[in-house]
Amino acid sequence: MNTKFKSIVTGAILEPNSEMVAEQLRKNPSFVVYDGQEAAQGDEKPLSKMKQGRTSESRPGRRNRGS
């Protein structure tokens, strides 16, 4: 059964263990069948979308709790 599904909202990949769950995901418009080809085509990874240099220490109003 190794069918995978991708959430169009969050991008999460699901691999259900039961056929009943797989059928529900097929019927749900928020999920599409995922074949694993998107990552191989060089799509931008979620971590690369994050802003660089923004840490908890650089946010105003936050304390560094390390010391």
Side-chain angles (χ1 to χ4, degrees):
M1 171 178 41
N2 299 336
T3 304
K4 294 181 182 180
F5 297 88
K6 182 175 182 179
S7 167
I8 60 174
V9 176
T10 65
I13 308 296
L14 303 177
E15 189 171 4
N17 289 327
S18 72
E19 188 58 39
M20 184 182 354
V21 174
E23 187 62 33
Q24 292 299 313
L25 290 171
R26 280 187 198 96
K27 293 177 183 179
N28 189 329
S30 296
F31 290 91
V32 294
V33 175
Y34 178 74
D35 60 4
Q37 294 299 315
E38 291 177 26
Q41 294 175 358
D43 282 353
E44 193 173 350
K45 304 289 187 258
L47 287 177
S48 63
K49 293 180 183 178
M50 294 175 59
K51 293 182 180 179
Q52 296 295 324
R54 182 118 195 225
T55 63
S56 60
E57 290 84 22
S58 65
R59 288 189 221 155
R62 302 274 313 220
R63 290 187 188 176
N64 186 358
R65 296 182 178 182
S67 43

Short mmCIF file of all heavy atoms in Angstrom, two decimals:
data_model
loop_
_atom_site.label_atom_id
_atom_site.label_comp_id
_atom_site.label_asym_id
_atom_site.label_seq_id
_atom_site.Cartn_x
_atom_site.Cartn_y
_atom_site.Cartn_z
N MET A 1 0.84 -1.19 0.00
CA MET A 1 0.00 0.00 0.00
C MET A 1 0.88 1.25 0.00
O MET A 1 0.46 2.25 -0.32
CB MET A 1 -0.92 -0.01 1.22
CG MET A 1 -1.65 1.26 1.39
SD MET A 1 -2.80 1.36 2.74
CE MET A 1 -2.02 0.57 4.06
N ASN A 2 1.96 1.44 0.27
CA ASN A 2 2.94 2.52 0.36
C ASN A 2 2.55 3.85 -0.29
O ASN A 2 3.40 4.55 -0.78
CB ASN A 2 4.26 2.04 -0.21
CG ASN A 2 4.79 0.87 0.56
OD1 ASN A 2 4.47 0.69 1.72
ND2 ASN A 2 5.61 0.07 -0.07
N THR A 3 1.28 4.19 -0.35
CA THR A 3 0.85 5.47 -0.90
C THR A 3 1.12 6.57 0.12
O THR A 3 0.81 6.42 1.29
CB THR A 3 -0.64 5.46 -1.25
OG1 THR A 3 -0.89 4.37 -2.14
CG2 THR A 3 -1.06 6.74 -1.91
N LYS A 4 1.70 7.67 -0.35
CA LYS A 4 1.96 8.81 0.52
C LYS A 4 1.06 9.96 0.09
O LYS A 4 0.69 10.08 -1.08
CB LYS A 4 3.43 9.23 0.43
CG LYS A 4 4.38 8.20 0.97
CD LYS A 4 5.80 8.68 0.88
CE LYS A 4 6.76 7.62 1.38
NZ LYS A 4 8.15 8.08 1.30
N PHE A 5 0.75 10.81 1.05
CA PHE A 5 -0.09 11.97 0.79
C PHE A 5 0.60 13.21 1.32
O PHE A 5 1.28 13.17 2.34
CB PHE A 5 -1.45 11.81 1.48
CG PHE A 5 -2.23 10.64 0.95
CD1 PHE A 5 -2.08 9.38 1.49
CD2 PHE A 5 -3.12 10.81 -0.09
CE1 PHE A 5 -2.78 8.30 1.01
CE2 PHE A 5 -3.83 9.73 -0.59
CZ PHE A 5 -3.66 8.48 -0.04
N LYS A 6 0.40 14.33 0.63
CA LYS A 6 0.99 15.60 1.04
C LYS A 6 -0.12 16.59 1.34
O LYS A 6 -1.05 16.77 0.54
CB LYS A 6 1.89 16.15 -0.06
CG LYS A 6 2.58 17.44 0.32
CD LYS A 6 3.55 17.87 -0.74
CE LYS A 6 4.26 19.14 -0.32
NZ LYS A 6 5.23 19.57 -1.32
N SER A 7 -0.01 17.25 2.49
CA SER A 7 -0.96 18.29 2.85
C SER A 7 -0.67 19.53 2.02
O SER A 7 0.47 20.01 1.98
CB SER A 7 -0.83 18.63 4.34
OG SER A 7 -1.53 19.82 4.63
N ILE A 8 -1.68 20.07 1.35
CA ILE A 8 -1.47 21.28 0.57
C ILE A 8 -1.42 22.51 1.48
O ILE A 8 -0.99 23.57 1.04
CB ILE A 8 -2.53 21.45 -0.53
CG1 ILE A 8 -3.93 21.54 0.07
CG2 ILE A 8 -2.44 20.33 -1.54
CD1 ILE A 8 -5.01 21.86 -0.94
N VAL A 9 -1.82 22.36 2.73
CA VAL A 9 -1.79 23.48 3.67
C VAL A 9 -0.43 23.60 4.34
O VAL A 9 0.18 24.66 4.35
CB VAL A 9 -2.89 23.31 4.74
CG1 VAL A 9 -2.82 24.40 5.78
CG2 VAL A 9 -4.27 23.27 4.09
N THR A 10 0.08 22.49 4.89
CA THR A 10 1.33 22.54 5.66
C THR A 10 2.52 21.94 4.94
O THR A 10 3.65 22.16 5.32
CB THR A 10 1.17 21.78 6.99
OG1 THR A 10 0.94 20.40 6.71
CG2 THR A 10 0.03 22.36 7.81
N GLY A 11 2.28 21.13 3.92
CA GLY A 11 3.37 20.45 3.23
C GLY A 11 3.80 19.16 3.91
O GLY A 11 4.75 18.52 3.48
N ALA A 12 3.12 18.76 4.98
CA ALA A 12 3.46 17.54 5.70
C ALA A 12 3.19 16.32 4.82
O ALA A 12 2.21 16.28 4.08
CB ALA A 12 2.65 17.43 6.98
N ILE A 13 4.08 15.34 4.90
CA ILE A 13 3.93 14.10 4.15
C ILE A 13 3.41 13.03 5.10
O ILE A 13 3.99 12.80 6.16
CB ILE A 13 5.28 13.64 3.56
CG1 ILE A 13 5.95 14.76 2.77
CG2 ILE A 13 5.10 12.37 2.73
CD1 ILE A 13 5.21 15.20 1.55
N LEU A 14 2.33 12.36 4.72
CA LEU A 14 1.74 11.30 5.53
C LEU A 14 1.83 9.97 4.79
O LEU A 14 1.64 9.92 3.57
CB LEU A 14 0.26 11.59 5.83
CG LEU A 14 -0.05 12.92 6.52
CD1 LEU A 14 -1.55 13.08 6.66
CD2 LEU A 14 0.63 12.98 7.86
N GLU A 15 2.11 8.91 5.53
CA GLU A 15 2.13 7.57 4.97
C GLU A 15 1.26 6.68 5.84
O GLU A 15 1.72 6.10 6.82
CB GLU A 15 3.56 7.04 4.92
CG GLU A 15 3.69 5.76 4.15
CD GLU A 15 5.14 5.37 3.95
OE1 GLU A 15 6.04 6.05 4.45
OE2 GLU A 15 5.36 4.35 3.27
N PRO A 16 -0.04 6.61 5.52
CA PRO A 16 -0.97 5.87 6.38
C PRO A 16 -0.67 4.37 6.38
O PRO A 16 -0.21 3.81 5.39
CB PRO A 16 -2.33 6.16 5.76
CG PRO A 16 -2.05 6.52 4.35
CD PRO A 16 -0.71 7.18 4.35
N ASN A 17 -0.95 3.74 7.54
CA ASN A 17 -0.72 2.31 7.69
C ASN A 17 -1.94 1.47 7.36
O ASN A 17 -1.83 0.27 7.23
CB ASN A 17 -0.27 1.99 9.12
CG ASN A 17 1.12 2.48 9.39
OD1 ASN A 17 1.96 2.50 8.51
ND2 ASN A 17 1.38 2.88 10.61
N SER A 18 -3.11 2.09 7.25
CA SER A 18 -4.31 1.31 6.95
C SER A 18 -4.97 1.85 5.68
O SER A 18 -4.89 3.04 5.37
CB SER A 18 -5.30 1.36 8.12
OG SER A 18 -5.90 2.64 8.20
N GLU A 19 -5.61 0.97 4.97
CA GLU A 19 -6.30 1.35 3.74
C GLU A 19 -7.47 2.28 4.02
O GLU A 19 -7.78 3.16 3.21
CB GLU A 19 -6.78 0.10 2.99
CG GLU A 19 -7.34 0.39 1.62
CD GLU A 19 -6.35 1.10 0.70
OE1 GLU A 19 -5.14 0.77 0.73
OE2 GLU A 19 -6.79 2.00 -0.04
N MET A 20 -8.10 2.15 5.18
CA MET A 20 -9.22 3.02 5.54
C MET A 20 -8.75 4.47 5.66
O MET A 20 -9.40 5.39 5.15
CB MET A 20 -9.85 2.57 6.86
CG MET A 20 -11.07 3.39 7.22
SD MET A 20 -11.91 3.05 8.79
CE MET A 20 -11.15 1.64 9.47
N VAL A 21 -7.61 4.68 6.29
CA VAL A 21 -7.08 6.04 6.43
C VAL A 21 -6.65 6.57 5.06
O VAL A 21 -6.90 7.73 4.73
CB VAL A 21 -5.89 6.06 7.43
CG1 VAL A 21 -5.24 7.43 7.46
CG2 VAL A 21 -6.38 5.66 8.81
N ALA A 22 -6.04 5.73 4.25
CA ALA A 22 -5.64 6.15 2.90
C ALA A 22 -6.85 6.59 2.08
O ALA A 22 -6.80 7.59 1.37
CB ALA A 22 -4.90 5.01 2.20
N GLU A 23 -7.94 5.87 2.20
CA GLU A 23 -9.16 6.23 1.47
C GLU A 23 -9.70 7.58 1.93
O GLU A 23 -10.14 8.40 1.12
CB GLU A 23 -10.22 5.13 1.66
CG GLU A 23 -11.44 5.33 0.80
CD GLU A 23 -11.13 5.30 -0.69
OE1 GLU A 23 -10.22 4.58 -1.10
OE2 GLU A 23 -11.82 6.02 -1.44
N GLN A 24 -9.66 7.84 3.22
CA GLN A 24 -10.13 9.13 3.75
C GLN A 24 -9.24 10.27 3.25
O GLN A 24 -9.73 11.36 2.93
CB GLN A 24 -10.14 9.12 5.28
CG GLN A 24 -11.19 8.18 5.87
CD GLN A 24 -12.59 8.58 5.45
OE1 GLN A 24 -12.98 9.74 5.53
NE2 GLN A 24 -13.36 7.61 5.01
N LEU A 25 -7.94 10.04 3.17
CA LEU A 25 -7.03 11.06 2.66
C LEU A 25 -7.26 11.31 1.17
O LEU A 25 -7.16 12.45 0.70
CB LEU A 25 -5.58 10.68 2.92
CG LEU A 25 -5.15 10.72 4.39
CD1 LEU A 25 -3.77 10.11 4.56
CD2 LEU A 25 -5.19 12.12 4.95
N ARG A 26 -7.58 10.27 0.42
CA ARG A 26 -7.89 10.45 -1.01
C ARG A 26 -9.13 11.33 -1.20
O ARG A 26 -9.20 12.11 -2.15
CB ARG A 26 -8.14 9.09 -1.68
CG ARG A 26 -6.90 8.35 -2.03
CD ARG A 26 -7.22 7.09 -2.84
NE ARG A 26 -6.07 6.21 -2.79
CZ ARG A 26 -5.93 5.20 -1.94
NH1 ARG A 26 -6.89 4.91 -1.10
NH2 ARG A 26 -4.85 4.47 -1.96
N LYS A 27 -10.10 11.20 -0.31
CA LYS A 27 -11.34 11.97 -0.41
C LYS A 27 -11.19 13.39 0.10
O LYS A 27 -12.01 14.26 -0.23
CB LYS A 27 -12.45 11.27 0.39
CG LYS A 27 -12.87 9.95 -0.18
CD LYS A 27 -13.91 9.30 0.70
CE LYS A 27 -14.32 7.93 0.20
NZ LYS A 27 -15.30 7.30 1.09
N ASN A 28 -10.17 13.66 0.91
CA ASN A 28 -9.99 14.97 1.53
C ASN A 28 -9.32 15.92 0.53
O ASN A 28 -8.22 15.66 0.06
CB ASN A 28 -9.12 14.81 2.78
CG ASN A 28 -9.05 16.06 3.60
OD1 ASN A 28 -9.13 17.17 3.08
ND2 ASN A 28 -8.88 15.89 4.90
N PRO A 29 -9.95 17.05 0.22
CA PRO A 29 -9.36 17.99 -0.74
C PRO A 29 -8.10 18.70 -0.23
O PRO A 29 -7.39 19.32 -1.01
CB PRO A 29 -10.48 19.00 -0.99
CG PRO A 29 -11.36 18.92 0.22
CD PRO A 29 -11.26 17.50 0.71
N SER A 30 -7.79 18.57 1.05
CA SER A 30 -6.59 19.20 1.60
C SER A 30 -5.34 18.35 1.41
O SER A 30 -4.25 18.77 1.78
CB SER A 30 -6.77 19.47 3.10
OG SER A 30 -7.80 20.40 3.31
N PHE A 31 -5.48 17.15 0.83
CA PHE A 31 -4.34 16.25 0.63
C PHE A 31 -4.29 15.82 -0.83
O PHE A 31 -5.31 15.62 -1.47
CB PHE A 31 -4.45 15.01 1.52
CG PHE A 31 -4.24 15.31 2.97
CD1 PHE A 31 -5.31 15.63 3.78
CD2 PHE A 31 -2.98 15.29 3.53
CE1 PHE A 31 -5.14 15.92 5.11
CE2 PHE A 31 -2.79 15.58 4.86
CZ PHE A 31 -3.86 15.91 5.66
N VAL A 32 -3.08 15.68 -1.34
CA VAL A 32 -2.85 15.16 -2.68
C VAL A 32 -1.93 13.95 -2.58
O VAL A 32 -1.13 13.85 -1.64
CB VAL A 32 -2.24 16.22 -3.62
CG1 VAL A 32 -3.22 17.36 -3.87
CG2 VAL A 32 -0.94 16.75 -3.07
N VAL A 33 -2.03 13.04 -3.53
CA VAL A 33 -1.14 11.89 -3.55
C VAL A 33 0.27 12.40 -3.83
O VAL A 33 0.49 13.22 -4.72
CB VAL A 33 -1.59 10.86 -4.62
CG1 VAL A 33 -0.58 9.72 -4.73
CG2 VAL A 33 -2.97 10.33 -4.28
N TYR A 34 1.22 11.92 -3.04
CA TYR A 34 2.61 12.37 -3.13
C TYR A 34 3.47 11.23 -3.64
O TYR A 34 3.45 10.13 -3.09
CB TYR A 34 3.08 12.82 -1.75
CG TYR A 34 4.51 13.27 -1.70
CD1 TYR A 34 4.90 14.48 -2.23
CD2 TYR A 34 5.49 12.47 -1.10
CE1 TYR A 34 6.21 14.90 -2.17
CE2 TYR A 34 6.79 12.88 -1.04
CZ TYR A 34 7.16 14.10 -1.58
OH TYR A 34 8.46 14.51 -1.52
N ASP A 35 4.23 11.49 -4.70
CA ASP A 35 5.07 10.44 -5.27
C ASP A 35 6.56 10.63 -4.97
O ASP A 35 7.38 9.84 -5.40
CB ASP A 35 4.84 10.33 -6.77
CG ASP A 35 5.16 11.61 -7.52
OD1 ASP A 35 5.63 12.57 -6.90
OD2 ASP A 35 4.93 11.63 -8.74
N GLY A 36 6.92 11.70 -4.26
CA GLY A 36 8.32 11.92 -3.88
C GLY A 36 9.13 12.63 -4.94
O GLY A 36 10.31 12.86 -4.76
N GLN A 37 8.54 12.98 -6.05
CA GLN A 37 9.29 13.60 -7.14
C GLN A 37 9.55 15.09 -6.93
O GLN A 37 10.47 15.63 -7.49
CB GLN A 37 8.54 13.42 -8.46
CG GLN A 37 8.47 11.98 -8.90
CD GLN A 37 9.85 11.39 -9.12
OE1 GLN A 37 10.70 12.00 -9.74
NE2 GLN A 37 10.07 10.21 -8.59
N GLU A 38 8.76 15.75 -6.10
CA GLU A 38 8.93 17.19 -5.92
C GLU A 38 10.29 17.54 -5.34
O GLU A 38 10.93 18.47 -5.78
CB GLU A 38 7.83 17.74 -5.01
CG GLU A 38 6.48 17.69 -5.68
CD GLU A 38 5.39 18.17 -4.75
OE1 GLU A 38 5.68 18.95 -3.84
OE2 GLU A 38 4.25 17.75 -4.93
N ALA A 39 10.74 16.80 -4.34
CA ALA A 39 12.03 17.08 -3.72
C ALA A 39 13.17 16.83 -4.70
O ALA A 39 14.16 17.54 -4.71
CB ALA A 39 12.22 16.24 -2.46
N ALA A 40 13.02 15.85 -5.57
CA ALA A 40 14.06 15.53 -6.54
C ALA A 40 14.17 16.60 -7.63
O ALA A 40 15.19 16.73 -8.26
CB ALA A 40 13.77 14.18 -7.18
N GLN A 41 13.12 17.38 -7.83
CA GLN A 41 13.14 18.41 -8.86
C GLN A 41 13.77 19.70 -8.37
O GLN A 41 13.80 20.69 -9.08
CB GLN A 41 11.71 18.69 -9.33
CG GLN A 41 11.09 17.52 -10.05
CD GLN A 41 9.63 17.77 -10.40
OE1 GLN A 41 9.08 18.82 -10.07
NE2 GLN A 41 9.01 16.82 -11.06
N GLY A 42 14.25 19.74 -7.13
CA GLY A 42 14.94 20.91 -6.64
C GLY A 42 14.04 21.96 -6.03
O GLY A 42 14.40 23.13 -6.03
N ASP A 43 12.88 21.59 -5.55
CA ASP A 43 12.02 22.55 -4.88
C ASP A 43 12.75 23.15 -3.69
O ASP A 43 13.58 22.51 -3.06
CB ASP A 43 10.72 21.90 -4.38
CG ASP A 43 9.72 21.69 -5.50
OD1 ASP A 43 9.98 22.18 -6.61
OD2 ASP A 43 8.70 21.05 -5.25
N GLU A 44 12.41 24.38 -3.36
CA GLU A 44 13.03 25.05 -2.22
C GLU A 44 12.61 24.37 -0.93
O GLU A 44 11.45 24.07 -0.71
CB GLU A 44 12.60 26.51 -2.21
CG GLU A 44 13.41 27.36 -1.27
CD GLU A 44 13.07 28.83 -1.42
OE1 GLU A 44 12.36 29.19 -2.36
OE2 GLU A 44 13.54 29.59 -0.58
N LYS A 45 13.56 24.11 -0.07
CA LYS A 45 13.30 23.45 1.20
C LYS A 45 12.75 24.46 2.21
O LYS A 45 13.11 25.63 2.17
CB LYS A 45 14.58 22.83 1.76
CG LYS A 45 15.25 21.88 0.80
CD LYS A 45 14.46 20.62 0.66
CE LYS A 45 15.18 19.59 -0.16
NZ LYS A 45 14.72 19.45 -1.49
N PRO A 46 11.89 24.03 3.14
CA PRO A 46 11.31 24.95 4.11
C PRO A 46 12.36 25.70 4.94
O PRO A 46 12.19 26.86 5.23
CB PRO A 46 10.46 24.05 5.01
CG PRO A 46 10.13 22.89 4.15
CD PRO A 46 11.31 22.70 3.24
N LEU A 47 13.47 25.05 5.31
CA LEU A 47 14.47 25.73 6.11
C LEU A 47 15.14 26.87 5.34
O LEU A 47 15.54 27.86 5.93
CB LEU A 47 15.54 24.74 6.59
CG LEU A 47 15.09 23.78 7.68
CD1 LEU A 47 16.22 22.81 8.01
CD2 LEU A 47 14.68 24.53 8.92
N SER A 48 15.25 26.73 4.04
CA SER A 48 15.88 27.79 3.27
C SER A 48 14.97 29.00 3.12
O SER A 48 15.42 30.07 2.74
CB SER A 48 16.29 27.27 1.89
OG SER A 48 15.16 26.89 1.16
N LYS A 49 13.68 28.84 3.45
CA LYS A 49 12.75 29.96 3.39
C LYS A 49 12.82 30.83 4.65
O LYS A 49 12.31 31.94 4.66
CB LYS A 49 11.32 29.45 3.22
CG LYS A 49 11.08 28.78 1.89
CD LYS A 49 9.65 28.30 1.81
CE LYS A 49 9.39 27.56 0.52
NZ LYS A 49 8.02 27.05 0.46
N MET A 50 13.44 30.29 5.70
CA MET A 50 13.50 31.03 6.96
C MET A 50 14.44 32.23 6.82
O MET A 50 15.40 32.19 6.07
CB MET A 50 14.00 30.12 8.08
CG MET A 50 13.05 29.01 8.40
SD MET A 50 13.70 27.86 9.62
CE MET A 50 13.98 28.91 11.00
N LYS A 51 14.14 33.29 7.52
CA LYS A 51 14.99 34.47 7.50
C LYS A 51 16.28 34.17 8.25
O LYS A 51 16.26 33.64 9.35
CB LYS A 51 14.28 35.66 8.13
CG LYS A 51 13.11 36.13 7.34
CD LYS A 51 12.47 37.33 7.98
CE LYS A 51 11.29 37.79 7.17
NZ LYS A 51 10.62 38.93 7.76
N GLN A 52 17.38 34.53 7.66
CA GLN A 52 18.68 34.29 8.28
C GLN A 52 18.96 35.35 9.34
O GLN A 52 18.54 36.50 9.24
CB GLN A 52 19.78 34.33 7.22
CG GLN A 52 19.65 33.24 6.19
CD GLN A 52 19.84 31.87 6.80
OE1 GLN A 52 20.65 31.70 7.70
NE2 GLN A 52 19.08 30.91 6.32
N GLY A 53 19.68 34.96 10.40
CA GLY A 53 20.11 35.91 11.42
C GLY A 53 19.05 36.26 12.44
O GLY A 53 19.25 37.15 13.25
N ARG A 54 17.93 35.62 12.44
CA ARG A 54 16.87 35.94 13.39
C ARG A 54 16.84 34.88 14.48
O ARG A 54 16.37 33.77 14.26
CB ARG A 54 15.53 35.99 12.68
CG ARG A 54 14.39 36.36 13.58
CD ARG A 54 13.76 37.62 13.12
NE ARG A 54 12.92 38.12 14.21
CZ ARG A 54 11.71 38.57 14.05
NH1 ARG A 54 11.20 38.62 12.87
NH2 ARG A 54 11.03 39.01 15.07
N THR A 55 17.40 35.19 15.61
CA THR A 55 17.42 34.25 16.72
C THR A 55 16.69 34.86 17.90
O THR A 55 16.32 36.03 17.89
CB THR A 55 18.87 33.91 17.14
OG1 THR A 55 19.48 35.11 17.62
CG2 THR A 55 19.67 33.35 15.97
N SER A 56 16.52 34.08 18.95
CA SER A 56 15.82 34.59 20.11
C SER A 56 16.59 35.74 20.76
O SER A 56 16.01 36.62 21.38
CB SER A 56 15.58 33.48 21.13
OG SER A 56 16.81 32.94 21.56
N GLU A 57 17.92 35.76 20.62
CA GLU A 57 18.70 36.85 21.19
C GLU A 57 18.50 38.17 20.45
O GLU A 57 18.66 39.23 21.00
CB GLU A 57 20.20 36.51 21.20
CG GLU A 57 20.57 35.43 22.19
CD GLU A 57 20.36 34.03 21.62
OE1 GLU A 57 20.33 33.89 20.38
OE2 GLU A 57 20.19 33.10 22.41
N SER A 58 18.16 38.11 19.15
CA SER A 58 18.03 39.33 18.38
C SER A 58 16.62 39.91 18.40
O SER A 58 16.39 40.99 17.91
CB SER A 58 18.44 39.07 16.92
OG SER A 58 17.55 38.17 16.32
N ARG A 59 15.68 39.21 19.01
CA ARG A 59 14.32 39.74 19.09
C ARG A 59 14.20 40.72 20.24
O ARG A 59 14.65 40.46 21.34
CB ARG A 59 13.32 38.60 19.31
CG ARG A 59 13.14 37.75 18.10
CD ARG A 59 12.01 36.81 18.33
NE ARG A 59 12.40 35.51 17.78
CZ ARG A 59 11.93 34.37 18.16
NH1 ARG A 59 11.03 34.30 19.10
NH2 ARG A 59 12.33 33.27 17.60
N PRO A 60 13.57 41.86 19.98
CA PRO A 60 13.39 42.82 21.07
C PRO A 60 12.47 42.28 22.17
O PRO A 60 11.52 41.57 21.89
CB PRO A 60 12.76 44.04 20.38
CG PRO A 60 12.33 43.60 19.04
CD PRO A 60 13.01 42.30 18.73
N GLY A 61 12.81 42.59 23.41
CA GLY A 61 11.96 42.20 24.52
C GLY A 61 12.22 40.79 25.02
O GLY A 61 11.53 40.33 25.92
N ARG A 62 13.18 40.09 24.46
CA ARG A 62 13.48 38.73 24.91
C ARG A 62 14.80 38.73 25.65
O ARG A 62 15.74 39.39 25.27
CB ARG A 62 13.58 37.77 23.71
CG ARG A 62 12.37 37.68 22.84
CD ARG A 62 11.36 36.72 23.30
NE ARG A 62 11.91 35.44 23.66
CZ ARG A 62 11.37 34.29 23.40
NH1 ARG A 62 10.26 34.25 22.70
NH2 ARG A 62 11.88 33.17 23.82
N ARG A 63 14.87 37.97 26.71
CA ARG A 63 16.11 37.85 27.48
C ARG A 63 16.85 36.58 27.09
O ARG A 63 16.23 35.57 26.79
CB ARG A 63 15.82 37.77 28.97
CG ARG A 63 15.32 39.06 29.54
CD ARG A 63 15.25 38.90 31.03
NE ARG A 63 14.59 40.01 31.63
CZ ARG A 63 14.33 40.09 32.90
NH1 ARG A 63 14.67 39.12 33.71
NH2 ARG A 63 13.72 41.15 33.41
N ASN A 64 18.14 36.65 27.18
CA ASN A 64 18.95 35.46 27.00
C ASN A 64 18.99 34.71 28.30
O ASN A 64 19.54 35.19 29.28
CB ASN A 64 20.36 35.85 26.52
CG ASN A 64 21.19 34.65 26.19
OD1 ASN A 64 20.73 33.51 26.35
ND2 ASN A 64 22.38 34.88 25.71
N ARG A 65 18.39 33.55 28.36
CA ARG A 65 18.29 32.80 29.61
C ARG A 65 19.49 31.89 29.84
O ARG A 65 19.49 31.10 30.77
CB ARG A 65 17.02 31.96 29.61
CG ARG A 65 15.78 32.81 29.59
CD ARG A 65 14.55 31.98 29.65
NE ARG A 65 13.38 32.83 29.67
CZ ARG A 65 12.16 32.39 29.77
NH1 ARG A 65 11.92 31.11 29.86
NH2 ARG A 65 11.14 33.22 29.78
N GLY A 66 20.49 31.95 28.99
CA GLY A 66 21.64 31.08 29.12
C GLY A 66 22.54 31.42 30.30
O GLY A 66 23.31 30.60 30.77
N SER A 67 22.49 32.62 30.83
CA SER A 67 23.39 32.95 31.95
C SER A 67 22.64 33.53 33.11
O SER A 67 21.54 33.87 33.10
CB SER A 67 24.46 33.93 31.50
OG SER A 67 23.96 34.96 30.71
#
